[in-house]
């Protein structure tokens, strides 16, 4: 059992219920709120709030009780949006967990900081609140993608800086007892070096989710992650065409049948109020229902038990929070 920071305050990990492991209310870029025409009008901000509330309420009607928003400041996190969505909890009744941590390429603010100085920043967002005064972060996000391939440049290579920030994240996780959730480039199998690094830092790997793992179908890689104790995030689910559902849900079924349902979590990596796509796109309030309304029925039709589905939707995520809390002691 662990106390989990949500945007409305602490919730017990046993009460999180069915949880989507990797979502965003909105993503953009740091300083996006000061880009003319983007979100600097009260009307646009109101629409961002309304879209987020509507998407949460729609997910709730499909059985989703919590979502994890993995948007650190350098992916354009907006504390005011979390505060407004928290204020309208009665309309959607979904717990939202927000994140500290770092997105891809690594913001230059980290270039000159040591691992411990980076950890201190993450700890402050977990203990005092995001942006200093906002809701407290409940999880640490890291992102390793194409840039993790760039190893030349010595201490200034993207890989070296990514590794430094990951060590900072591990130290912050141990100090505060919150889990780490990683965006990874599955094709490069970067979950392996990430787990190696966390292990060196003495992290309990049960507190780590290696996300975007359903971008590969390499079961040797996925089971290797699970064997080491990590949770496998099958957290990209964008379509409902039969071939797509067969392929994506098939990975979840294979992991469950290999005995890893309790180390597999599901999500969409979708955002109702984001700027990743053009603003006119992503209007569907149902964007967080594809897992409960399409993937889950597919799993049950193809031989997964309801216990295995419940393990993927509830127990797996809870276990990451519980393991993380255990490290704090
Ligand atoms: Zn994401």
């Amino acid at each position: 059992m662990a106390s989990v920071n949500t945007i409305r305050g602490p919730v017990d990990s046993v009460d999180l219920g069915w949880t989507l492991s990797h979502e965003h209310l909105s993503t953009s870029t740091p300083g996006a709120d000061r880009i003319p025409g983007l979100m600097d009008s009260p009307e646009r901000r109101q629409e961002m709030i309304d879209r987020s509330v509507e998407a949460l309420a729609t997910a709730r009607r499909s059985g989703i009780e919590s979502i994890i928003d993995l948007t650190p400041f350098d992916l354009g996190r907006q504390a005011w949006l979390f505060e407004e969505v928290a204020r309208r909890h009665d309309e959607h009744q979904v717990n939202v967990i927000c994140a500290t941590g770092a997105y891809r390429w690594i913001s230059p603010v980290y270039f000159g900081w040591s691992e411990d100085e980076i950890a201190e920043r993450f700890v402050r967002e977990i203990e005092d609140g995001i942006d200093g005064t906002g809701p407290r972060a409940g999880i640490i996000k890291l992102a390793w993608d194409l840039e993790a391939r760039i190893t030349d440049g010595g201490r200034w290579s993207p890989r070296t800086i990514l590794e430094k920030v990951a060590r900072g994240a591990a130290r912050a996780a141990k100090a505060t007892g919150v889990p780490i959730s990683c965006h990874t480039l599955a094709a490069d199998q970067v979950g392996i070096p990430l787990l190696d690094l966390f292990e060196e830092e003495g992290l309990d790997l049960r507190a780590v989710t290696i996300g975007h793992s359903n971008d590969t179908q390499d079961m040797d890689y996925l089971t290797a992650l699970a064997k080491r104790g990590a949770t496998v995030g099958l957290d990209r689910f964008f379509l409902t065409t039969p071939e797509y559902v067969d392929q994506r849900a098939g990975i979840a079924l294979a992991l469950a049948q290999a005995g890893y349902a309790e180390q597999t979590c599901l999500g969409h990596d979708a955002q109702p109020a984001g700027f990743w796509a053009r603003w006119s796109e992503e209007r569907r309030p149902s964007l967080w229902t594809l897992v409960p309304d399409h993937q889950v029925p597919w799993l049950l039709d193809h031989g997964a038990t309801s216990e295995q589905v419940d393990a993927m939707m509830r127990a797996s995520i809870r276990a990451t929070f519980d393991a993380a809390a255990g490290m704090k002691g």
Side-chain angles (χ1 to χ4, degrees), residues 225-241:
L225 300 173
K227 272 184 196 140
R228 294 178 69 177
T231 295
V232 182
L234 306 181
D235 49 28
R236 279 190 161 157
F237 206 89
F238 303 122
L239 304 171
T240 57
T241 53

Side-chain angles (χ1 to χ4, degrees), residues 22-24 70 75 141 183 212 269:
H22 184 134
E23 310 295 348
H24 309 270
L70 289 174
L75 190 50
K141 153 83 166 267
H183 158 129
H212 302 339
D269 196 15

Side-chain angles (χ1 to χ4, degrees), residues 5-9 77-84 86-87 98 124-138:
N5 285 340
T6 76
I7 60 173
R8 297 175 68 235
R77 185 187 61 202
Q78 303 295 325
W80 62 267
L81 181 57
F82 290 122
E83 286 166 346
E84 293 300 325
R87 237 169 249 140
C98 71
R124 285 185 64 171
E125 293 209 314
I126 294 160
E127 293 184 344
D128 301 341
I130 58 172
D131 299 352
T133 57
R136 291 176 181 169

Side-chain angles (χ1 to χ4, degrees), residues 65-82:
E65 296 164 80
S66 302
I67 71 157
I68 300 178
D69 181 300
L70 289 174
T71 317
F73 88 94
D74 53 347
L75 190 50
R77 185 187 61 202
Q78 303 295 325
W80 62 267
L81 181 57
F82 290 122

Side-chain angles (χ1 to χ4, degrees), residues 29-325:
T29 187
D33 46 325
R34 293 191 297 281
I35 295 174
L38 200 63
M39 61 178 87
D40 54 354
S41 73
E43 295 76 22
R44 174 57 61 79
R45 288 189 183 219
Q46 190 59 49
E47 198 180 347
M48 290 174 70
I49 299 161
D50 292 342
R51 281 195 196 189
S52 299
V53 169
E54 189 184 10
L56 289 166
T58 307
R60 185 69 189 81
R61 286 193 290 274
S62 291
I64 300 303
E65 296 164 80
S66 302
I67 71 157
I68 300 178
D69 181 300
L70 289 174
T71 317
F73 88 94
D74 53 347
L75 190 50
R77 185 187 61 202
Q78 303 295 325
W80 62 267
L81 181 57
F82 290 122
E83 286 166 346
E84 293 300 325
V85 165
R87 237 169 249 140
R88 290 174 60 180
H89 180 81
D90 284 353
E91 289 172 62
H92 56 79
Q93 299 188 1
V94 178
N95 301 307
V96 178
I97 296 151
C98 71
T100 184
Y103 188 56
R104 295 179 54 185
W105 292 105
I106 304 298
S107 171
V109 295
Y110 300 115
F111 286 9
W113 293 355
S114 69
E115 291 86 340
D116 287 330
E117 286 168 326
I118 292 165
E120 204 182 301
R121 297 288 151 171
F122 295 163
V123 167
R124 285 185 64 171
E125 293 209 314
I126 294 160
E127 293 184 344
D128 301 341
I130 58 172
D131 299 352
T133 57
R136 291 176 181 169
I139 194 162
I140 302 169
K141 153 83 166 267
L142 287 178
W144 281 31
D145 208 291
L146 294 169
E147 55 280 3
R149 293 175 186 166
I150 307 172
T151 55
D152 54 327
R155 62 186 285 237
W156 302 113
S157 80
R159 179 59 172 248
T160 303
I161 296 170
L162 285 167
E163 289 179 356
K164 181 176 73 172
V165 175
R167 288 186 191 281
R171 292 174 198 182
K174 282 171 69 179
T176 57
V178 312
I180 297 178
S181 189
C182 304
H183 158 129
T184 63
L185 181 58
D188 284 7
Q189 305 199 341
V190 294
I192 302 293
L194 272 164
L195 293 183
D196 291 345
L197 189 151
F198 292 148
E199 215 161 56
E200 275 176 37
E201 289 289 328
L203 204 67
D204 181 343
L205 298 186
R206 295 175 303 166
V208 177
T209 298
I210 300 297
H212 302 339
S213 290
N214 54 351
D215 286 344
T216 180
Q217 296 182 75
D218 184 337
M219 288 304 295
D220 289 339
Y221 169 59
L222 299 180
T223 53
L225 300 173
K227 272 184 196 140
R228 294 178 69 177
T231 295
V232 182
L234 306 181
D235 49 28
R236 279 190 161 157
F237 206 89
F238 303 122
L239 304 171
T240 57
T241 53
E243 322 78 70
Y244 185 89
V245 177
D246 281 352
Q247 191 250 310
R248 295 261 153 171
I251 300 166
L253 183 65
L255 275 171
Q257 290 179 339
Y260 295 116
E262 291 191 21
Q263 285 171 258
T264 300
C265 58
L266 306 179
H268 303 81
D269 196 15
Q271 47 185 304
F275 298 87
W276 181 268
R278 282 182 292 280
W279 176 250
S280 57
E281 296 170 4
E282 297 275 6
R283 280 186 177 273
R284 296 167 296 124
S286 60
L287 79 179
W288 287 330
T289 64
L290 307 192
V291 165
D293 292 353
H294 294 269
Q295 181 158 212
V296 164
W298 187 100
L299 286 166
L300 294 170
D301 281 351
H302 288 77
T305 64
S306 53
E307 289 74 23
Q308 287 172 324
V309 167
D310 201 59
M312 289 188 268
M313 294 302 301
R314 181 198 313 267
S316 57
I317 306 234
R318 180 191 160 189
T320 66
F321 285 101
D322 291 352

